[in-house]
Amino acid sequence: MRFAFLDEDAKKEIRRATLKAIAIPGYQVSFASRELPIARGWGTGGLQVTLSIITQKDSLKVIDQGCDGSVNAVNIRNFITSVTNVETTNEVDKASIIQSRHRIPEKQMQEGQVLVLQVPEPEVLTNVEANASKQKIMHANSDYAKLWVLLYEDTSQFGDSRIGNRYPVMVNDRYVMDPSPIPKYDTLNLDNSKALVLLGAGREKKIYAVPPYTKVEPLKFDDREFKVEDFSGQKCQRCGASGVYMDEVHVDNGKTLYYCNDTSYCDEFLESRNA
Amino acid sequence: MGYVAVKGGEEAIKNSLSFYDEEFKGDIKPKDIRESLSFAVDKIMSEGSLYSKKLSSVAIKKSAGDLLNAAFFLRAHRSSCARVGMAKTINTDDMRIIRRVSSAFKDIQGGQILGPSNDYEVKLILKKVANKTIWSEFISDDIFVESALKPLRNKGLIKELKKDREIADITRIFPNSPYPRSAVLQIMSRGEGGSMLAFAYTTMRGYGDVHPTIGDLRIGKCDVKFTHPFTSKEVKIAEIESTSCEAVGTLEKQEDGSTKLTTGYGFCFGFNETKAISMAILDISLYSSSHSIGSGSIASDFDMILHHIDGVESMGFTNHYKLPHYVTFQSNLQVLMNAKEHNGGEK
Amino acid sequence: MKREDINFMLQKADRDSLRDLYKSIKNKHSVEILQSPTAQTLLQPIKDPISGGEFYAGEVLVTTTIVSVGDRQNKGWAMVQDDEEQLSLYVSVCDGAFGAGYFVDEIESLMKQTQLELEKHQIKINRKINSTKVSFDLMQES
Ligand SMILES: [Zn+2]
């Protein structure tokens, strides 16, 4: 099997699209998305980005739902290591590339690291404008009026946007971008990120990026607070951490318990407490 | 602890695959699939966008008859083979005919040839058929014949569309709107038959006004030709079975004031008439929408058709909802709770 | 028979006879494999009758082999349909031998034999196809 599965021409083309994406923060660059032995919608965009940038010296971490052991993360990690033999890790600090679905690691990533996010629906405008050519024009004109109307309607009815995850963000004061289905809690961590963030959508054949130290702001009215998921007053049942994104676990006796969603954070917190 | 269960994923995946392999083992040979389930094999080649009866049969076996999955196997394999070049163009007028019908004319040059078909079989599942024909009574002429619409086309009665200067290849660049015609036809040619049928069907039931007539429907064999690298002369590589359909729509006023008939074209690998007909109807619907009655035709919307008929993509994405989604669901629940609070703390 | 007929015709030849022929060539002349049988694809364009342009219907899987027979200059090539490594190798060696003027009679004889078989088969199929022709003129003439 060829190193990193894809043929060299494919990798070169994906890298070129990636470079363009980095040069225009938040702008969706089309690329010739290849068919992989992993199903469409299961992370093929992120996977192609990772396969095109990975080298023998890299150290890889793969997470899904905040967890290194989640079925899809295991599947993707096994596939990548089977075609590259690179070292893998669960620790954020030791990874040079982190591929993730639905979460940004709790532990802050550093300069030189790359976060690859898997994106199911890259087009932030789809819900307000289904026509692809009109979407393109709206982006070109930075015309996001329809998103603002949606936000206004939601706010007047429900007090806030109905969008829970994949909350639209303005990147570098120019393009509104779908940050992938991360919770609002994570959205704020995209702002001024030290690490390079690459977003890949395989089925929709788009790559886009947030370069290090780029301004990323959730779309909101000036007089409204951007409310993120709230777990205040809750502590992780396993490690005792608080102030992180949590999983609710409903146990048999009707009680609800909370655990860190980010399992490697939980492990590290537990270790540091026991040390 | 919750984590133990979640981290058991790796082991469970392995065991689940072993279970699958044992449960759906059977002992049917790909060769038997190829010979007795040949329409399934053809469907997979066309949707997998790779002409290989051999691998298509293997894919059907591997996916235990789940044809969407089988096409997925074939597509993934395609990504691992280098593309060596481009064959000579096939013109379906040159097809060696096995079956060819036209519902537009009673009799046509070359005749109505039913070929191997069970169209007129009464579908009684338990009835035993014992029909024997003495073949030697019939002539053995080869049949090559032009499309039944050729005479109308020669007379200039059929609307022409502008041809692309370059052939688009959607596997390398997926175009944006306005879509080049070659991209539109390529997407449909490898589209999923069922999805295309459903969209085509909408045009006949009020969501559009296509009332098609089958001008020329044919199945048969076409030659694949390439250039011999050492003699630089044309060389035949293969014969591929394929289906093509030209359907006629309705009258349409042209920009130059003339009135012409609209037509649509369908082509796919293998014998798959329903798909070729559906493609031809969608082609009419997409390119001849300006005079439609009513505006609610979904099958005349390029974005609607081109983004929703690929089986490998739609199946993959629909199935991805099986993956864990608890992070996003958690976040949605919190939004619900906040909205309830906003509405005066409703219970 | 032309050299260009070898590639398709010998794919259809009786496999045992083809293998024997390959072995005979190999025993007499040195055969070097320059590109071992490799699965590749050919992009297949189709003519669009409505615009007069073309479009790609998909790719055709082929197995390609390049060899040299006898002298390194005498190159042989085969591009056979589907995933067929052995077949591709046999055909490429015959192509190379034919080009170099080796075993020409034997190769032609196998091709002719194959052609006869193919024609016989085609006649059988044609009778079946012609039996399904809907006949309208019968009524007028009676
Ligand atoms: Zn914890």
Side-chain angles (χ1 to χ4, degrees), chain A residues 174-198:
Chain A
R174 176 61 183 83
Y175 288 101
V176 172
M177 177 189 97
D178 182 304
S180 89
I182 53 174
K184 291 201 262 190
Y185 173 92
D186 283 347
T187 308
L188 298 174
N189 291 331
L190 282 173
D191 183 39
N192 219 26
S193 155
K194 290 181 186 169
L196 168 64
V197 184
L198 299 175

Side-chain angles (χ1 to χ4, degrees), chain A:
Chain A
M1 185 76 71
R2 191 185 296 279
F3 181 80
F5 185 79
L6 296 167
D7 69 83
E8 293 307 316
D9 285 343
K11 280 186 215 152
K12 212 187 275 178
E13 198 251 8
I14 296 167
R15 284 183 207 130
R16 227 179 261 146
T18 306
L19 286 173
K20 180 169 173 184
I22 295 168
I24 319 173
Y27 174 78
Q28 301 166 53
V29 181
S30 298
F31 77 110
S33 182
R34 303 308 205 264
E35 265 124 356
L36 299 179
I38 304 254
R40 287 292 204 218
W42 298 53
T44 57
L47 199 49
Q48 287 180 80
V49 170
T50 300
L51 291 173
S52 72
I53 60 172
I54 201 163
T55 67
Q56 274 136 331
K57 281 188 234 146
D58 276 306
S59 169
L60 175 76
K61 172 179 164 78
V62 182
I63 39 179
D64 186 325
Q65 310 294 301
C67 176
D68 299 90
S70 177
V71 282
N72 197 43
V74 169
N75 197 33
I76 287 177
R77 183 185 311 111
N78 286 349
F79 173 66
I80 299 175
T81 50
S82 76
V83 293
T84 60
N85 260 327
V86 297
E87 204 179 297
T88 64
T89 176
N90 288 355
E91 289 173 47
V92 171
D93 296 340
K94 291 195 176 147
S96 53
I97 301 174
I98 300 180
Q99 179 168 334
S100 173
R101 170 172 171 263
H102 291 196
R103 274 309 310 274
I104 293 175
E106 294 287 349
K107 196 165 195 182
Q108 201 186 51
M109 290 177 67
Q110 301 303 319
E111 282 181 18
Q113 290 183 299
V114 181
L115 174 65
V116 178
L117 289 172
Q118 300 168 203
V119 184
E121 293 143 292
E123 184 46 75
V124 69
L125 294 169
T126 304
N127 293 332
V128 292
E129 176 53 67
N131 184 302
S133 21
K134 285 189 190 149
Q135 291 163 354
K136 196 102 179 111
I137 295 171
M138 286 161 75
H139 278 299
N141 294 331
S142 211
D143 169 12
Y144 299 114
K146 283 188 171 179
L147 282 176
W148 287 109
V149 172
L150 178 72
L151 185 57
Y152 176 78
E153 284 176 346
D154 278 359
T155 307
S156 64
Q157 281 185 71
F158 307 106
D160 199 350
S161 166
R162 275 179 301 154
I163 303 171
N165 57 82
R166 57 180 290 238
Y167 194 92
V169 291
M170 173 65 86
V171 179
N172 201 26
D173 294 318
R174 176 61 183 83
Y175 288 101
V176 172
M177 177 189 97
D178 182 304
S180 89
I182 53 174
K184 291 201 262 190
Y185 173 92
D186 283 347
T187 308
L188 298 174
N189 291 331
L190 282 173
D191 183 39
N192 219 26
S193 155
K194 290 181 186 169
L196 168 64
V197 184
L198 299 175
L199 301 99
R203 194 176 39 88
E204 301 285 349
K205 304 160 187 66
K206 295 281 196 278
I207 289 171
Y208 51 105
V210 177
Y213 302 106
T214 302
K215 184 173 162 194
V216 177
E217 272 183 314
L219 233 56
K220 66 167 197 67
F221 295 116
D222 289 345
D223 58 348
R224 292 279 159 167
E225 173 203 5
F226 181 67
K227 253 197 209 157
V228 302
E229 296 78 5
D230 180 25
F231 300 94
S232 55
Q234 308 302 343
K235 265 198 332 206
C236 171
Q237 287 294 311
R238 182 165 173 267
C239 73
S242 59
V244 294
Y245 197 86
M246 296 206 170
D247 291 339
E248 261 178 27
V249 179
H250 303 274
V251 288
D252 292 344
N253 61 8
K255 276 211 303 199
T256 304
L257 302 178
Y258 288 84
Y259 294 92
C260 300
N261 168 266
D262 184 332
T263 52
S264 78
Y265 180 86
C266 192
D267 285 345
E268 269 181 51
F269 198 87
L270 194 64
E271 214 168 282
S272 71
R273 234 185 41 171
N274 290 343

Side-chain angles (χ1 to χ4, degrees), chain B residues 200-226:
Chain B
Y201 188 43
T202 63
T203 68
M204 308 166 214
R205 295 194 62 269
Y207 295 92
D209 66 344
V210 180
H211 304 281
T213 308
I214 304 296
D216 189 287
L217 173 66
R218 54 177 61 200
I219 66 174
K221 291 188 177 182
C222 299
D223 288 351
V224 176
K225 290 176 182 162
F226 196 60

Side-chain angles (χ1 to χ4, degrees), chain B residues 42-84:
Chain B
D42 285 7
K43 178 181 162 75
I44 297 324
M45 291 196 308
S46 147
E47 291 169 12
S49 202
L50 184 67
Y51 197 101
S52 166
K53 295 231 174 197
K54 198 172 172 181
L55 297 188
S56 178
S57 318
V58 174
I60 290 172
K61 164 90 172 105
K62 277 205 119 159
S63 58
D66 179 336
L67 299 187
L68 286 163
N69 247 326
F72 173 28
F73 269 111
L74 216 53
R75 287 258 187 111
H77 183 75
R78 202 182 52 97
S79 288
S80 74
C81 301
R83 190 185 271 174
V84 65

